[in-house]
Amino acid sequence: MKDKPMLRVRPLHYTSNIGSWERLLTALGLVLAEGDGGFRVYDAGAGRLALHEVPAGAAEDGTTALAVEVGDLAEFGRRTNLAAQDEGTTPAELVTESHGEACRITGPDGFTFLADKAATVDGDTGADPALAVVGVWFTEDADAAARTLRHIGARPRPVPDNDETADFTAKNGGVLLVRPASGPPRSGLGFEYDGGLAPLRDRLTAAGLEATLTEEAFGSTLHVANPDAAGPGAPSVPATVWISQHRPMG
């Protein structure tokens, strides 16, 4: 069996506070990889994050679009649809977006996200190797969302309980999570850290950022003030950005 094609997590976050986000990402250990001004892409130890500047109060301000990067768009789409053929669906479609060619994936719940042609990442980027970018798919149909992520080549990993959550890793970096939620499907953004969170908290506070460490059901989570929470869209924007501690299943 041939190896699965390239897949890397790369959410797109819209913000009117791009400077504040750059300060947060730099303190977390991400490194600017491409772009400047209103569009920037940052490398983490695993996965990437793109920032897209929008005017304050824009509908997208403070929101994140789930997205991935792949090596060959046509081959990615073909393999995704082949994997889904037993369900009689073709979730992948090649499309032309404002930024160029892409592949659009549509889940059974109507949620869509893009796969873009990957940029080359050569060797050590200088990013903190313990930090991973996490893209989240919130949906009322968690089982179907999980199947779609399997179809695109995401790798399932064990979860600490038997609820409707599902965790995946991408071959070329990053984490994808499915979480049950009421209402229309939507995406979310977070990070995962393979190491102690207390030193990371200290690094963030030394950079002048407000960070709080909490103990939760299945591990520790670090909460950092969200740069977008003070904007016009504050009621619908999470107050914090979370970084969970990675704890491999024994």
Side-chain angles (χ1 to χ4, degrees), residues 77-194:
R78 186 189 72 80
R79 291 200 184 202
T80 297
N81 288 332
L82 182 63
Q85 68 178 352
D86 288 345
E87 298 180 9
T89 62
T90 52
E93 176 190 12
L94 296 177
V95 296
T96 301
E97 297 291 315
S98 59
H99 62 277
E101 299 301 309
C103 185
R104 181 176 297 280
I105 307 301
T106 303
D109 60 0
F111 180 76
T112 68
F113 61 95
L114 290 180
D116 287 310
K117 174 71 175 176
T120 301
V121 178
D122 296 320
D124 184 5
T125 64
D128 187 335
L131 189 76
V133 177
V134 180
V136 189
W137 182 344
F138 295 102
T139 177
E140 293 184 345
D141 194 347
D143 287 343
R147 289 196 303 273
T148 299
L149 293 183
R150 290 188 181 92
H151 295 156
I152 71 168
R155 298 169 168 175
R157 70 178 185 183
V159 293
D161 55 17
N162 293 318
D163 62 12
E164 295 178 293
T165 65
D167 290 20
F168 297 84
T169 58
K171 175 185 173 184
N172 299 90
V175 176
L176 293 167
L177 306 180
V178 173
R179 294 294 181 262
S182 59
R186 62 191 187 279
S187 59
L189 171 67
F191 298 91
E192 187 175 272
Y193 200 71
D194 189 9

Side-chain angles (χ1 to χ4, degrees), residues 9 11 13 21 25 28 30 44 46 48-49 64 131-136 138 175 177 187-193 222 240-244:
V9 179
H13 184 74
W21 268 96
L25 297 181
L28 281 173
L30 286 88
R48 314 179 90 199
L49 176 64
T64 304
L131 189 76
V133 177
V134 180
V136 189
F138 295 102
V175 176
L177 306 180
S187 59
L189 171 67
F191 298 91
E192 187 175 272
Y193 200 71
L222 189 59
T240 63
V241 177
W242 53 265
I243 306 99
S244 63

Side-chain angles (χ1 to χ4, degrees), residues 27-50:
L28 281 173
L30 286 88
V31 174
L32 180 65
E34 60 183 85
D36 54 24
F39 183 80
R40 309 175 191 182
V41 180
Y42 293 81
D43 283 328
R48 314 179 90 199
L49 176 64

